[in-house]
Amino acid sequence: MPTDHPLRSDDGLVFGGDYNPEQWPESVWLEDVRLMREAHVNRVTIGVFSWSSIEPREGQYEFGWLDRILDLMAENGIGVVLATPTASPPPWFSLAHPEALPVTADGVRLIHGSRDTYNPAAPAYRAAARRLTSAMAERYSFHPALRMWHLHNEYGTVSYGPQTDTAFREWLRAKYGDLWELNTTWNTAFWSQGYGEWEEIFAPQATQYLPNPSHLLDFKRFSADLLRDCLREQAEIVRSVRPEVPVTTNFMLPSWNHYDQWDFAAEIDDVSVDHYPDTPGIEGDVQVAFGSDLARSFNGGRPWVLMEQATTMVYDYAQGRILARDPGKLLFNTLQYLARGATGSLFFQWRSPRAGAEFFHSPMVPHAGENSRTFREIVELGTTLANLHELAPPPAAGHGVNQNRVAIVWDATAWWSTDTRALPSNDTAFLPAVKSVHRALWLLGINTDFVQLDQDLSGYNLVLVPSKLAASNAEAEVLRRFVANGGHTAIWYFSGSTDENLNVRQGSFTGAFADLLGIRVEEHFPQLEATALKLSDGSTADCWAEAVELRGAISISNFTEFPLAGRPAVTKHGVGMGTAHYLATRLGEDALRTHLRRILNDAGVSPEHPAAGYGIEAVRRYAGNDSYLFLLNHSEETVDVGIHGHDLLTDSALHGETTLGPGAALIVREPWAEQ
Ligand code: GLA
């Protein structure tokens, strides 16, 4: 990973956004530059979705406008993240290559008119994307404005149809070798699905009733690999021209699960993410912490790029409304991202489009122009980030940008495995389970990383497994060794009940982890939504219960009601030097925090600062050889915090008790850093 790369220039923290000059006359470009300079913009992303402006006819390139804007950026000291516009093939492409249009699961062939209208398995699309990437790499790899390649935009297109079927069959042949192996793994004897020829297998389009979950899971894996191959071939092209230019692609977090984020991260130099909290108040702040922790973890604990956030609005098409951010909230949330490792902040987008899709999406320069609250807050934010340049260097060798003792297991197969309709309860879904554990820890003031179970876990005291239905023997062994060597774990209900191909483990649910947990799970008791379960320690739970038998573990609390009265609900098992906790139900919010406190205590983990928790966020960020304590008050109360060091935001020394009002923040260079 090229952290000391010459192109990782001395710009300090990055600030700017997606810039689409092709949508505006060149007279507006000069105005843009004036405003960018006023706001301390030092980075813009150019080219995203610009395919029809760059290649208006097949093989005919119009680079003039792009040359001029890149020159203008270089002249004004603004670095460019140059995007390959391959997420939006132009209309000429779909007419020339109708076979490359995407097909939905219902068999509908889509036509251009929006974006992302292509099938990633279509050879014509791939060839066109490669050609365009090569042309851009040859022309711009040595341009003085170039800082980074931004390949594609938010990979995530899933398509069905004949070209997908062909590629899927090839993928299956490579995985299984012969049909016997596939038929056995998918248990195709169920409902007469036995395959006699590879050509009989299709991508899982709409079918009459429940599809085969193992078939579905393999299709998700195939689609993810396909998208990774699209990324890989673009990365190879740009690196073949100038290998030292860092390469990224922007992940949509946290809701996008069409690829495996860890796999994608391995293909690029820096992880970048697009992040749009969709809830006002403290719950939105919890989302900021969650997205940041994922991004940093995918980037191997190194600083990561916030490629897109929104300015004044929380944009949520799903709920059909755009909410304004409260005054000051943009700066506050951006400090949260910074605390958790962002290299700065970029936005979608620089200037509001006059018309077109997303014409009311929040920008840095709104329709109202520079005389607006939004632009004033942008100038304030840009000025603040410019003053925080000392946070920009990567942490000294051997340090992560944050150093956390707790990790949550996140992996694509775990997520995909609960994305099936045939499970005993919908309350087994991956994302809500992971979010609720991360949120509970955030409220306790505990900062977390994410890991998958093929990583070195030795730096952690505690590894939590909120949802991992599909678990391989190898993954179970990694966790067992971690605990035997003194680590601590907590595993939630239903996890490990199948192997990595959704074959149910026989003899005990949670079977992959049953020995480690010292339990056997005999039967599930999914609950109706409104049912509250009372536990013997006075806490409440809901959604799910199980018949757990102790096989070495002790019970911490029991179910109290028929038919599970007296059976364990929460257990603990000592293994080697560590402990393994099991939660056979979904604890209520308070009970979850109480129990997590117990587990944290076992694991010897405490917050970064005594004031942390319940709305006070304390995160330590490392830069160079220095450390900085970020303290942010998300609560409605004014609190006094004991702190020593130099606050970068007010440029003042702090010695002892300092008052932190609601919405206030400190970034304190710690004393030893000043010696
Ligand atoms: C994504 C895309 C952007 C834009 C925003 C809107 O992150 O990358 O092009 O559509 O969403 O929120």
Side-chain angles (χ1 to χ4, degrees):
M1 296 291 171
T3 43
D4 52 355
H5 197 279
L7 287 167
R8 278 158 211 269
S9 64
D10 237 2
D11 291 339
L13 297 175
V14 296
F15 184 60
D18 270 35
Y19 181 35
N20 292 95
E22 71 275 22
Q23 296 175 14
W24 297 94
E26 297 198 15
S27 54
V28 176
W29 298 5
L30 298 176
E31 155 111 348
D32 286 332
V33 167
R34 178 179 67 77
L35 296 177
M36 284 177 189
R37 293 183 66 117
E38 186 180 336
H40 298 274
V41 165
N42 60 9
R43 204 58 101 245
V44 289
T45 304
I46 294 180
V48 182
F49 303 123
S50 307
W51 194 335
S52 74
S53 303
I54 295 175
E55 191 186 8
R57 287 282 163 268
E58 188 153 8
Q60 182 189 312
Y61 297 109
E62 293 287 347
F63 283 127
W65 68 271
L66 196 47
D67 293 352
R68 287 195 295 285
I69 195 74
L70 288 187
D71 291 349
L72 188 63
M73 293 297 107
E75 282 157 23
N76 285 281
I78 299 169
V80 171
V81 178
L82 189 56
T84 56
T86 50
S88 222
W92 61 253
F93 178 82
S94 39
L95 292 192
H97 304 284
E99 81 290 354
L101 288 168
V103 176
T104 67
D106 288 327
V108 178
R109 184 175 287 278
L110 303 178
I111 186 70
H112 60 264
S114 181
R115 62 180 182 188
D116 293 289
T117 322
Y118 61 89
N119 178 351
Y125 166 73
R126 297 281 284 278
R130 280 195 301 268
R131 240 187 0 254
L132 183 54
T133 303
S134 298
M136 290 182 70
E138 275 154 29
R139 192 165 186 100
Y140 297 115
S141 288
F142 291 88
H143 194 284
L146 182 67
R147 293 289 183 282
M148 180 179 254
W149 284 109
H150 172 311
L151 302 180
H152 200 83
N153 190 69
E154 292 182 346
Y155 278 104
T157 303
V158 174
S159 176
Y160 300 79
Q163 300 201 323
T164 303
D165 294 331
T166 306
F168 184 41
R169 287 173 199 137
E170 274 169 32
W171 186 94
L172 291 170
R173 267 179 199 265
K175 173 168 178 177
Y176 291 104
D178 62 59
L179 279 171
W180 182 89
E181 195 65 38
L182 178 144
N183 280 314
T184 308
T185 306
W186 291 6
N187 195 25
T188 54
F190 193 87
W191 283 354
S192 176
Q193 291 175 356
Y195 295 106
E197 303 290 339
W198 292 100
E199 286 62 35
E200 294 169 6
I201 306 174
F202 291 86
Q205 275 186 246
T207 186
Q208 201 283 127
Y209 181 43
L210 297 175
N212 182 324
S214 305
H215 179 180
L216 226 61
L217 177 60
D218 268 343
F219 181 68
K220 288 178 195 290
R221 289 184 168 128
F222 153 78
S223 291
D225 284 358
L226 182 66
L227 294 176
R228 188 213 43 220
D229 292 349
C230 293
L231 169 65
R232 183 178 287 170
E233 65 192 16
Q234 289 202 16
E236 280 170 2
I237 291 168
V238 297
R239 285 177 174 146
S240 72
V241 181
R242 195 178 176 202
E244 64 271 25
V245 184
V247 167
T248 192
T249 188
N250 50 343
F251 296 12
M252 181 62 169
L253 289 183
S255 54
W256 226 224
N257 76 347
H258 308 301
Y259 54 86
D260 178 330
Q261 287 102 353
W262 299 105
D263 257 17
F264 259 47
E267 300 293 326
I268 54 184
D269 297 294
D270 285 308
V271 165
S272 63
V273 303
D274 301 345
H275 198 249
Y276 295 95
D278 62 6
T279 313
I282 198 166
E283 293 304 328
D285 303 345
V286 169
Q287 292 177 7
V288 170
F290 185 62
S292 305
D293 291 345
L294 284 168
R296 185 189 60 256
S297 303
F298 295 143
N299 209 30
R302 295 177 304 117
W304 52 276
V305 180
L306 178 57
M307 189 63 86
E308 296 179 21
Q309 66 158 326
T311 51
T312 56
M313 297 176 189
V314 179
Y315 204 45
D316 188 345
Y317 286 118
Q319 292 178 22
R321 55 182 64 89
I322 303 167
L323 301 177
R325 265 181 167 159
D326 288 344
K329 193 72 185 192
L330 178 62
L331 173 60
F332 188 72
N333 283 150
T334 304
L335 296 181
Q336 267 191 288
Y337 287 118
L338 267 190
R340 293 168 187 268
T343 58
S345 176
L346 304 179
F347 290 82
F348 181 81
Q349 58 182 325
W350 167 249
R351 186 184 274 283
S352 275
R354 194 171 35 75
E358 302 190 320
F359 61 157
F360 286 107
H361 195 288
S362 84
M364 299 168 83
V365 182
H367 291 295
E370 62 185 292
N371 183 12
S372 57
R373 174 171 79 99
T374 298
F375 189 66
R376 280 190 289 278
E377 289 205 19
I378 280 295
V379 173
E380 184 197 359
L381 179 57
T383 310
T384 305
L385 294 185
N387 290 334
L388 295 176
H389 54 86
E390 65 179 273
L391 295 173
H399 284 233
V401 66
N402 306 135
Q403 291 176 31
N404 298 323
R405 297 275 157 253
V406 180
I408 297 175
V409 171
W410 174 286
D411 73 81
T413 297
W415 189 346
W416 297 332
S417 65
T418 63
D419 257 2
T420 161
R421 284 160 60 202
L423 301 179
S425 162
N426 289 340
D427 296 319
T428 54
F430 173 83
L431 193 55
V434 172
K435 276 182 168 177
S436 79
V437 171
H438 183 275
R439 176 180 180 278
L441 288 165
W442 188 86
L443 286 170
L444 290 172
I446 301 296
N447 302 321
T448 44
D449 291 345
F450 290 90
V451 291
Q452 56 179 357
L453 289 176
D454 66 356
Q455 274 168 235
D456 174 17
L457 304 178
S458 58
Y460 296 103
N461 297 28
L462 175 62
V463 172
L464 299 160
V465 188
S467 171
K468 185 153 173 57
L469 168 59
S472 68
N473 293 345
E475 289 172 314
E477 175 56 18
V478 167
L479 201 57
R480 191 201 60 77
R481 241 182 295 124
F482 167 71
V483 177
N485 290 331
H488 301 266
T489 190
I491 299 174
W492 272 254
Y493 60 87
F494 204 41
S495 297
S497 290
T498 78
D499 71 5
E500 64 276 28
N501 290 310
L502 287 178
N503 279 228
V504 181
R505 291 174 180 276
Q506 303 297 293
S508 170
F509 294 116
T510 309
F513 305 117
D515 286 349
L516 171 63
L517 292 164
I519 57 165
R520 173 171 176 262
V521 180
E522 185 194 324
E523 191 181 352
H524 297 146
F525 290 82
Q527 302 291 304
L528 293 174
E529 228 170 296
T531 315
L533 299 163
K534 290 192 195 68
L535 305 187
S536 56
D537 62 358
S539 60
T540 54
D542 62 9
C543 289
W544 183 271
E546 295 178 341
V548 176
E549 200 181 293
L550 296 175
R551 294 215 166 163
I554 55 164
S555 175
I556 301 218
S557 67
N558 291 334
F559 294 108
T560 58
E561 290 148 307
F562 178 81
L564 290 172
R567 303 290 294 263
V570 179
T571 67
K572 174 173 164 178
H573 188 215
V575 178
M577 322 255 301
T579 57
H581 295 249
Y582 185 58
L583 293 91
T585 185
R586 190 175 78 172
L587 293 178
E589 269 197 35
D590 290 348
L592 176 59
R593 285 202 295 275
T594 305
H595 191 56
L596 281 172
R597 238 189 257 112
R598 269 185 214 130
I599 299 172
L600 290 162
N601 205 34
D602 278 358
V605 178
S606 50
E608 290 280 2
H609 188 277
Y614 297 95
I616 307 297
E617 184 173 7
V619 184
R620 187 165 272 118
R621 173 174 176 148
Y622 296 84
N625 289 313
D626 295 336
S627 72
Y628 299 84
L629 186 64
F630 284 64
L631 281 172
L632 297 113
N633 186 353
H634 300 261
S635 78
E636 312 269 293
E637 315 291 325
T638 295
V639 293
D640 288 329
V641 290
I643 194 115
H644 294 274
H646 190 90
D647 177 30
L648 305 188
L649 291 171
T650 52
D651 193 15
S652 58
L654 301 176
H655 299 293
E657 291 286 286
T658 300
T659 300
L660 199 62
L666 299 169
I667 306 177
V668 181
R669 188 196 307 119
E670 301 192 281
W672 51 83
E674 293 182 328
Q675 287 156 19

